[in-house]
Structure formats: structure tokens, C-alpha cells
Amino acid sequence: MVESEAIPYEPARLHGERLLVLAPHPDDEVIGCGGVVAQHLRELSTVRVIVATNGAEAGDAATREAESRRGLDLLGPADLRFLRFPDRGLLEAGDALQDVLRNELLDFKPDLVLVPSPIEIHPDHLALAQAFCALVQRDETLFAELAIARVAFYEVGQPLRPNAIVDITDVADAKYAAIAAHESQHTFRDYSAFARGLNAYRAMTLPPDARAAEAYFVIALPELRTTAISELQKRMGNARTIETVRETVPISVIVRTKDRPALLAEAVESIKANDYPAEIVVVNDGGAKLDVDGVTLVHHESSRGRAEAGNAGVRAAANAFIAFLDDDDLFYPEHLATLANASSSSHAGWYTDAVSAFLRPGANGEYETHRHLRLYAQDFDRDLLLLDNYIPLPTLLVAHESFLAVGGFDPAFDLFEDWDFLIRLSRRGDLLRIPRVTCEVRHFEGGTSVLLAAPEGSEQFRAAKLQAWKKHESLLGNDVIANAFERQKRELGSTYSNLVEAMGRNDAMELDAARLEREKNELLQRGLEQHEKISAYSHRVTELEAGLRALDDLVIEYTQQVTAVERLSRENEQLRGTNHQSHVELERLRVEIARLNGLLDMIYRSRTWQMHTMIEKLRGRG
């Protein structure tokens, strides 16, 4: 794996017009995700913060609420609400917590939700993540209202493996100031220092100018609806089982198989991954000899059919509770613990929700999942069960005694033996639905799945349904059909109303989008006009800059000329001095010449010179 596939190397930008923050305690909203909150508040997005507990285990509840208000005020105007569940008591809050969260979600209708990650160590952090995920999986109305929302899981006390890292350098100081506002908590630990360290570490893979960052695992809400919490944990880097077993009950898991060793190995491994002390009973219904470690193996020399294979497995089981897994399906790691925790209630059976995974051969010939659908998520309805089966067998837990008491699987059924059994089981009492995705029903293109081998609408499928209806026709009175029909009609009507409302909202959004598109075009036109003006101004500026450059050249030339003039002036002064000295010397020489001329005149006029001249003439020299 290359590094960039393991952790982001480019900063992400989490943006929502309506941001909802779910915080376990007063201060988690700023310690865990204060940077993203601050960015949204600066962008004037609508922000609501829900604090789940009163925080009283670490100080005075009123003081802690006041600190939360002061801290968020430093980031901007957020709507802050307190649920005031007992500190370290969210796990016990159960349905009450989910109901409050549901009301807040429907009231606020966020498009981005920040939630503590499901690998957090603190029990309140974990319970809040679990409650949110369970709520999304159980409530179809909520799912419809928030279909476009994204969920970003954040870290507080346990680092996660992120798929988004947000650069918060621009708001980091504001975040740390908000954390520091929780003065009572700094008497226990220096949370500001911890947050600075984690944020600095998270910036390690980002560009150098990012000095602080927050890490998130982001998932679309529709995908969260079909994803088990154990799978979320695995993606975030911690595969520990999130379900705490309150009471271990003895469970045997029956696996029917025939000549599909690779699929069987996957199924058995998924049971063992539950880390639950369950007995595994594998019934090999007429296939090649098997050697599977750690299981109770029942071998049929020839195939006796699905119903008899299931019955043989139950007869061989040693435990008081029975679960089932076909060899082409899978348990998620929390499946058995979830059923075990529910089994203390007085019901004829217990079942969870399943995801339908559709697989087809990929380019390399291996099967690949190309679609997940939430097809099995129906509350118990005895009348509806008479008309159609909505409880896949791998989702079920039943008491061993109850299975035998209703006669087990009817060997007359080669298809829908589980549906027939569930109808008879439901006559003993209600079945309890635990609305959480804990297993996967797989459908393989190519015929390895029973349902795909006899797809809905086929002659074999219809014949099997008629067989079930005929067997239980005494129960299918007009009242049963009418009741089931009316309930389905109401649900369909509600779904239709939701669809109409959603379509209305979609139409409004399309109108808003058209308006925004028009306004965008107007802004673009204005921008174009402004661009043209700016271009003209830029041209003028360019001309002015050219003129300034020419002026600069003239200034330089002028400066050079001034320098030359100053140099010439200095030289001229020097010449003037020299000329003056020359003039003085010349005058002195003129005076001397005049004196000498006068002296010569005196000589020429003297008697001595005249006698000299006469003598020279006599000698012939004159």
C-alpha cells in the first residue's frame, strides 16, 4: 500500500450549511472538532452543538455548562443545547438518548454531523457514537430526512485512521482559547497542550504551511445505514468488538453446507470473529468430506435437503440457544453479542437487521460486492409474516427448546423452510427486533445463492410461496389479510407522503438552484464587466508604469548630467585658480621686463657705452 492510500496527504474542507455537533461532555465540542466548528462559524454557517451529559463526574455541572458557553462564544454564535444525561451514564440512557437525538436531528435537519468515533475509549464517547449509528439504522423517516447528510467521526482520546484531514491553521488560536475557557478541567489535565500536540501531529502529512489539523472519518449517511459499527471500527483502525456482553448465554450456530469449502471457510471465520464462546455445528449435507477445525461436524452421505440439514444441526447442538448461518452468508463481529444481550427478554425469538450484498465476478474472476441494500429492516408483524417473510434466518436467535417445540423445519419444504418455521414460531409469542445491522445476506450472481437460483417471479419461487400459504391457509383469514394490507397501506402512504414532501423539497431546491444559477450568471456578467474595466485600468496602469519607467530614466540621466556639471564646475574652479596665479606671475614678469628695459636705456645713454661703441668701430667690429 502506498502512503497516500493509508492517510490523506492533501487537506480536506468539511463544509455544511447546517452543522450539527454531538459532544459527549462539555469541552469535547472544542477539544475534538473546535477547528471545524470555528471555520463554519466564520463562514456564517448555522451551527448547533448538542452536549449529551452534565459532566458532573469531573466538576460542577453548572460551571461546566458556563465554560462551554464561554468557549463557544470565542468561536462565534452557535446554538448550544445540553441534554444533561448523567456523566458516564450514556450507555444506560439507551432509547431515551436515541429519542432525543432523533428529535434534534428532525428539528435541525443538518447536512453535516460531527460525532465521536466508535473507537473512542471513554464509555460515553462510545455510547454516543453507537446510539447515533443505531438511530440511523433503525429509523427510516430519519434516513429519508437526512439522505444528503454526511457524518464526520472525530477523535478526542483515541486517534483514528482518517479519510479526511482538515487544515485548521487559520483558526487554531481561537480553538485553543476556547479549550482554555474550560478552566475547571485544566486542574485535571492540560487539555490545551494535548490538543495542540494532536493537531500538530495531524498536520504532518499536509503541506508545510499547515501547522495544525483535525482528523475525521467521513461517510455519507445512506452508506452508514448499511454499515455495521464493527466495520466502521475496522476502517478506522481498531477492530475490537464494540458490543459489551452483559450476560453470556450458551449459543450454538448451525451452518448448512454442501461442496462450497471456500464460502464455508468465510462463514466459519465470521462466526469466530465474534469472539463469543459459541459452539459451531457444521452440517455437510451430502458434499465431499470436510475437515474443519474447531467445529462439531455432522456429515450426511447423501443430501437430505435444507430442512433436514438444519434439523440435524439443531439435534447435534449442545447449547440452550440456536443461531443459524448459511455457508454463503456472514456474521458481523457484534452479531452474537447483540442477540445474547437481547435474549433476557420474554420473547419467542430475537432477530437483528441484515444487509443484502450483491456480488458478481470481477475482472480477476473473484467475486466482488457491487451493491449493498437494506432490504431486511422490519419490525415484528405477525399478520405480515403470514403473507411474506421479512426475517432472514441468519438474523435469528431462538431457544433450543422452542425450535424443537414447534417441530423444527418441515422437510416438505425445499425453499422457504425458514419462513414456514418462523410462522409456527410466531404462534408461541412475539419476536423482538433489534434494529441494528449485524449480518450480511449475500447473493452471488451465477447461482450459488438459493434466492438467485430461484429468483422472485420464477415458477419455483411462486410454487414455494403457494406451498407456505396453503399450509397456513387456516390462519390467513380476511382479518389477517386486511390488517396486514392496512398496515402496509399506511406505511406506503407514509412513505408516499415522505416522497411527495421530498419531491416538493427537491422542486424547491431546483427552483432555488435555478435562481442561484441566474444570480450566478448575473454575477458572472457583472464580473465580466468589472473584468473589462479592470483590464482597461490595467492597460492604463501599464502605460503609467511605462511613463514612470521613462521618467525614471530621465531622472537618472539628469542626475548623471548634474554630476558631470558639478565635476566641470570643480575643474573650472581649479582652472580659475591656475589662471589667477598665471596672471599674477605674468604681471610680475612685465614689471621685471620694464625694469630691465629701463636699465638698458640707461646703459645705452651712458658715456661709457658710447666710448665702448666707438672703440668697437675702430677695431672694425661696429
Side-chain angles (χ1 to χ4, degrees):
M1 176 184 293
V2 297
E3 293 170 281
S4 59
E5 293 177 353
I7 192 169
Y9 272 70
E10 294 295 330
R13 186 70 173 176
L14 289 184
H15 182 76
E17 292 301 318
R18 302 178 66 81
L19 170 65
L20 178 66
V21 181
L22 301 183
H25 309 99
D27 71 5
D28 289 325
E29 71 277 8
V30 288
I31 294 174
C33 51
V36 166
V37 171
Q39 288 174 343
H40 279 74
L41 290 172
R42 287 191 178 185
E43 294 171 358
L44 303 181
S45 297
T46 304
V47 177
R48 178 178 293 183
V49 177
I50 307 295
V51 179
T53 72
N54 57 23
E57 288 287 324
D60 176 69
T63 299
R64 297 204 65 185
E65 288 189 10
E67 290 172 343
S68 275
R69 294 187 189 282
R70 285 197 298 272
L72 278 177
D73 284 344
L74 294 173
L75 302 183
D79 177 14
L80 178 58
R81 303 187 177 193
F82 298 95
L83 304 184
R84 300 188 175 96
F85 284 99
D87 198 349
R88 289 189 173 270
L90 282 189
L91 188 61
E92 289 72 29
D95 290 343
L97 174 60
Q98 290 189 35
D99 290 343
V100 176
L101 292 179
R102 179 181 186 275
N103 292 336
E104 291 288 351
L105 288 162
L106 290 175
D107 174 65
F108 189 60
K109 294 183 175 62
D111 57 348
L112 178 62
V113 187
L114 305 186
V115 188
S117 88
I119 66 171
E120 285 284 318
I121 297 172
H122 194 292
D124 284 340
H125 295 208
L126 184 59
L128 185 55
Q130 184 174 347
F132 177 80
C133 293
L135 176 62
V136 170
Q137 292 189 356
R138 88 174 194 196
D139 197 308
E140 294 183 1
T141 302
L142 183 65
F143 166 70
E145 292 287 347
L146 303 177
I148 63 170
R150 291 181 300 158
V151 179
F153 292 98
Y154 63 88
E155 57 191 3
V156 182
Q158 173 68 28
L160 53 77
R161 180 188 296 144
N163 59 10
I165 297 180
V166 180
D167 181 2
I168 64 164
T169 305
D170 59 331
V171 293
D173 290 340
K175 169 178 176 170
Y176 304 139
I179 297 174
H182 294 264
E183 297 177 1
S184 67
Q185 301 310 292
H186 281 70
T187 61
F188 300 101
R189 294 180 177 87
D190 189 350
Y191 288 105
S192 294
F194 297 156
R196 287 176 186 272
L198 180 59
N199 295 158
Y201 163 70
R202 284 308 186 188
M204 182 174 62
T205 60
L206 300 186
D209 57 346
R211 300 186 305 276
E214 290 175 345
Y216 295 88
F217 185 90
V218 183
I219 185 172
L221 191 137
E223 184 181 354
L224 180 61
R225 181 170 162 77
T226 60
T227 304
I229 300 182
S230 59
E231 176 62 20
L232 282 177
Q233 287 186 313
K234 182 179 178 182
R235 295 182 191 178
M236 293 183 203
N238 186 334
R240 66 188 178 90
T241 304
I242 67 119
E243 189 71 26
T244 300
V245 182
R246 291 189 285 271
E247 180 181 0
T248 300
V249 297
I251 298 176
S252 295
V253 182
I254 314 303
V255 183
R256 299 175 290 188
T257 188
K258 180 182 178 181
D259 291 333
R260 299 196 291 199
L263 290 176
L264 174 63
E266 289 185 67
V268 170
E269 185 58 35
S270 77
I271 300 171
K272 293 179 179 179
N274 275 247
D275 197 22
Y276 187 93
E279 176 191 30
I280 303 174
V281 179
V282 174
V283 181
N284 181 12
D285 189 38
K289 293 290 184 178
L290 290 174
D291 182 13
V292 185
D293 292 334
V295 306
T296 299
L297 186 59
V298 177
H299 179 72
H300 293 168
E301 290 297 333
S302 59
S303 176
R304 303 179 189 178
R306 292 168 51 80
E308 281 290 8
N311 291 336
V314 174
R315 286 194 297 268
N319 290 324
F321 290 86
I322 303 297
F324 298 90
L325 182 65
D326 285 338
D327 62 1
D328 55 351
D329 298 329
L330 298 173
F331 284 168
Y332 292 154
E334 64 266 45
H335 178 72
L336 292 176
T338 301
L339 288 171
N341 286 338
S343 65
S344 59
S345 63
S346 300
H347 290 83
W350 306 266
Y351 67 99
T352 62
D353 290 351
V355 166
S356 292
F358 293 84
L359 297 88
R360 59 188 174 199
N364 61 357
E366 299 290 332
Y367 275 98
E368 299 175 352
T369 301
H370 66 91
R371 184 171 50 162
H372 279 105
L373 293 178
R374 186 80 177 276
L375 300 179
Y376 302 109
Q378 170 71 47
D379 287 336
F380 178 66
D381 183 328
R382 183 176 285 103
D383 293 337
L384 179 61
L385 188 60
L386 285 167
L387 300 177
D388 199 10
N389 185 25
Y390 51 83
I391 305 175
L393 193 60
T395 67
L396 181 69
L397 180 73
V398 62
H400 196 154
E401 179 273 332
S402 296
F403 182 89
L404 297 177
V406 300
F409 296 127
D410 185 346
F413 284 83
D414 188 50
L415 185 61
F416 296 143
E417 77 289 344
D418 52 347
W419 179 24
D420 166 63
F421 165 74
L422 288 167
I423 291 174
R424 288 181 279 120
L425 180 65
S426 69
R427 311 320 292 180
R428 291 174 60 89
D430 292 346
L431 278 65
L432 176 67
R433 176 196 173 204
I434 304 98
R436 290 178 54 186
V437 173
T438 65
C439 56
E440 183 176 296
V441 177
R442 300 197 291 179
H443 309 278
F444 293 83
E445 293 184 6
T448 63
S449 168
V450 173
L451 288 180
L452 285 180
E456 188 169 357
S458 67
E459 184 176 342
Q460 183 182 0
F461 188 93
R462 182 169 180 78
K465 274 207 161 184
L466 289 172
Q467 181 184 8
W469 286 334
K470 184 173 181 60
K471 177 176 180 178
H472 300 286
E473 62 182 345
S474 62
L475 302 175
L476 285 168
N478 291 334
D479 289 342
V480 169
I481 297 175
N483 289 339
F485 176 77
E486 287 298 326
R487 281 193 287 272
Q488 291 300 301
K489 181 180 177 182
R490 284 195 298 272
E491 289 187 13
L492 183 60
S494 176
T495 302
Y496 179 74
S497 297
N498 291 334
L499 177 61
V500 169
E501 184 179 349
M503 290 176 65
R505 288 198 302 270
N506 184 65
D507 290 341
M509 290 172 63
E510 288 181 354
L511 290 174
D512 287 342
R515 174 179 56 79
L516 291 172
E517 181 68 20
R518 185 179 67 255
E519 293 176 353
K520 182 191 77 172
N521 290 332
E522 292 175 357
L523 289 172
L524 287 173
Q525 181 61 36
R526 293 178 189 171
L528 181 60
E529 294 171 357
Q530 294 297 322
H531 178 71
E532 291 175 351
K533 290 181 180 179
I534 291 172
S535 296
Y537 289 143
S538 297
H539 182 67
R540 292 289 303 279
V541 167
T542 301
E543 291 177 345
L544 289 173
E545 287 176 345
L548 287 173
R549 286 193 296 272
L551 183 59
D552 288 340
D553 293 340
L554 289 174
V555 168
I556 293 171
E557 183 179 352
Y558 173 76
T559 301
Q560 291 173 344
Q561 290 176 351
V562 168
T563 302
V565 168
E566 290 176 347
R567 178 178 56 79
L568 291 173
S569 296
R570 288 193 301 271
E571 291 177 355
N572 186 48
E573 289 297 324
Q574 292 174 353
L575 289 173
R576 282 181 179 180
T578 304
N579 184 55
H580 176 70
Q581 291 176 353
S582 298
H583 180 72
V584 171
E585 183 66 22
L586 182 61
E587 287 298 319
R588 188 184 62 78
L589 291 174
R590 284 177 181 173
V591 172
E592 182 67 18
I593 291 171
R595 186 183 66 81
L596 293 174
N597 285 333
L599 183 60
L600 288 173
D601 286 340
M602 287 178 59
I603 294 172
Y604 291 154
R605 287 193 301 269
S606 68
R607 188 177 292 276
T608 303
W609 181 260
Q610 292 176 357
M611 290 179 67
H612 172 74
T613 303
M614 187 180 298
I615 294 171
E616 288 295 319
K617 286 181 178 180
L618 290 176
R619 292 177 176 176
R621 300 177 183 173

